[in-house]
Amino acid sequence: MGLIIVLAFAVLMAGFGFGANDHHVEFPDDVYYMDYNVNNLPFSEKNEEIKLGFDIFRNTSLHIGPKQKDSSKVFAQNNLACASCHLNGGTKPYAAPLIGVIKRFPQFRGRENKMGTIEERINGCMERSMNGRTMPESSVEMQALITYMDWLGRAAPSNGKIEGQGFLKVEIPNRAVDLDHGQRVFENTCVECHGADGQGQLLAENDQYLYPPLWGGDSYNDGAGMTRVITAAQFIKGNMPFGTTFDNPILTDEEAYDVAGYINQKLRPTKPNREVDFPDLVKKPVSTPYGPYLDPFSEEQHQLGPFQPIMEYYQKEYLLSKSK
């Protein structure tokens, strides 16, 4: 479920020519009413690059993943797509929309403890969510992705900040994840799309995921942001199951929290060199599921909570208010 709709919105909607303005919901920001259908763009060299960027975004494994026949262009090592987290072509509110994202870079990233470029951020996704390797910043594919994202943000304010960016906030239960409850939520809500084994469903016509795997060898690795229970719960609350929107969530905060914990306890690929993440450990999110940590709490508690005692520790010791 953390990645439940993924290509459902991205392939079924954005992939078949639906733009954000085709949704009948009240969006939190006027930018969502723009036409984001790349098929409406007239022919030009720039527009062809935008369309290429969108196709890479939607069909990542065909262009830069395992289904790319030119091995020198294989950067993603799983068959997920950028659209697996950034739903509806990166235009769905509270599904990490990419509208305006280019204008928010350079940006400080605690995981690297430095100002980073948009290219570095994309490569972070390549190494973690896509379980792969970095892509040359000058490559045709990287530049096409950036051109597509820049086009998405053409109506965004100069600082790139919009309502609905990131994920929907949840009230974090003041307890550890209930894995038994999380399993029941998964079985009652998620298996229809992702299967009882969590391995998703493929489209018969092109062998791309309609619904992606949530764990296992073809999913995101254990260094991805989605392995944080709080992050995954926020994504799930605003987007899962299929058809959920931010203004009409189906799962409760507790259901989203428990099923996020259940999914992220499953086996998945290991990210090399995770120990170098967050050089300044005080900036490490409390739900980061791997050490080292700058606090006395166990790795299990960082994975499954309760998180409030960890947050209170950082508030007391470092005067830091942490929410994830």
Side-chain angles (χ1 to χ4, degrees):
M1 224 177 114
L3 287 176
I4 286 183
I5 311 186
V6 298
L7 291 180
F9 263 98
V11 173
L12 288 181
M13 299 188 77
F16 295 159
F18 291 88
N21 54 352
D22 294 298
H23 295 269
H24 299 290
V25 297
E26 291 295 324
F27 291 117
D29 195 297
D30 287 345
V31 295
Y32 296 102
Y33 290 98
M34 296 285 293
D35 182 3
Y36 295 111
N37 185 350
V38 298
N39 294 322
N40 291 334
L41 293 173
F43 177 82
S44 72
E45 185 175 336
K46 178 69 172 291
N47 288 345
E48 291 306 296
E49 187 176 25
I50 292 170
K51 292 175 183 178
L52 173 61
F54 172 71
D55 203 54
I56 295 169
F57 189 89
R58 181 186 63 178
N59 297 308
T60 310
S61 67
L62 296 178
H63 291 272
I64 55 174
K67 293 183 173 66
Q68 166 60 259
K69 295 179 180 179
D70 182 347
S71 61
S72 69
K73 292 187 176 184
V74 176
F75 303 104
Q77 296 298 321
N78 61 34
N79 288 288
L80 301 183
C82 302
S84 295
C85 290
H86 308 281
L87 305 183
N88 201 11
T91 68
K92 186 172 188 279
Y94 298 104
L98 297 176
I99 299 169
V101 69
I102 296 292
K103 297 176 181 178
R104 299 198 291 271
F105 281 82
Q107 182 184 94
F108 181 82
R109 301 284 298 170
R111 193 157 56 193
E112 293 80 28
N113 199 40
K114 70 180 187 70
M115 295 295 291
T117 63
I118 185 62
E119 291 88 352
E120 289 173 319
R121 182 69 185 93
I122 291 171
N123 272 328
C125 287
M126 293 301 303
E127 292 185 295
R128 298 168 190 272
S129 297
M130 310 305 291
N131 190 37
R133 62 189 180 99
T134 59
M135 185 165 43
E137 295 186 0
S138 61
S139 67
V140 169
E141 293 80 9
M142 173 71 84
Q143 292 306 308
L145 283 170
I146 290 173
T147 299
Y148 172 63
M149 288 188 274
D150 189 44
W151 175 75
L152 289 180
R154 62 196 185 279
S158 59
N159 62 8
K161 294 182 179 180
I162 58 172
E163 293 297 322
Q165 66 187 67
F167 301 128
L168 200 64
K169 302 302 181 187
V170 300
E171 188 70 32
I172 304 166
N174 193 6
R175 59 168 176 79
V177 166
D178 183 336
L179 291 174
D180 290 335
H181 182 231
Q183 180 176 359
R184 291 195 299 274
V185 175
F186 182 83
E187 290 171 348
N188 293 334
T189 310
C190 311
V191 297
E192 182 177 356
C193 295
H194 294 281
D197 59 359
Q199 297 310 291
Q201 298 180 36
L202 291 168
L203 289 163
E205 60 267 28
N206 62 9
D207 203 32
Q208 298 289 287
Y209 282 115
L210 172 61
Y211 304 103
L214 303 182
W215 61 78
D218 215 25
S219 190
Y220 54 94
N221 68 35
D222 60 4
M226 200 62 78
T227 58
R228 299 177 201 149
V229 165
I230 295 173
T231 298
Q234 291 174 338
F235 177 84
I236 290 167
K237 177 67 183 291
N239 297 288
M240 303 296 138
F242 178 80
T244 296
T245 56
F246 73 94
D247 57 341
N248 188 30
I250 293 173
L251 297 180
T252 66
D253 291 346
E254 296 212 349
E255 289 171 329
Y257 178 72
D258 289 337
V259 79
Y262 173 75
I263 289 166
N264 279 323
Q265 284 296 296
K266 299 292 187 178
L267 292 176
R268 61 186 65 257
T270 298
K271 165 70 171 65
N273 304 315
R274 293 178 308 169
E275 67 279 0
V276 303
D277 290 352
F278 300 97
D280 184 355
L281 290 175
V282 75
K283 295 184 175 72
K284 202 167 193 174
V286 299
S287 57
T288 304
Y290 54 88
Y293 305 109
L294 201 62
D295 57 61
F297 300 95
S298 68
E299 187 169 85
E300 181 180 358
Q301 186 163 347
H302 281 279
Q303 291 178 1
L304 295 172
F307 298 105
Q308 284 80 359
I310 310 176
M311 293 173 176
E312 291 166 3
Y313 175 87
Y314 281 93
Q315 180 65 57
K316 179 180 178 181
E317 297 294 325
Y318 299 100
L319 301 178
L320 284 178
S321 295
K322 294 198 175 193
S323 60
K324 64 177 182 178

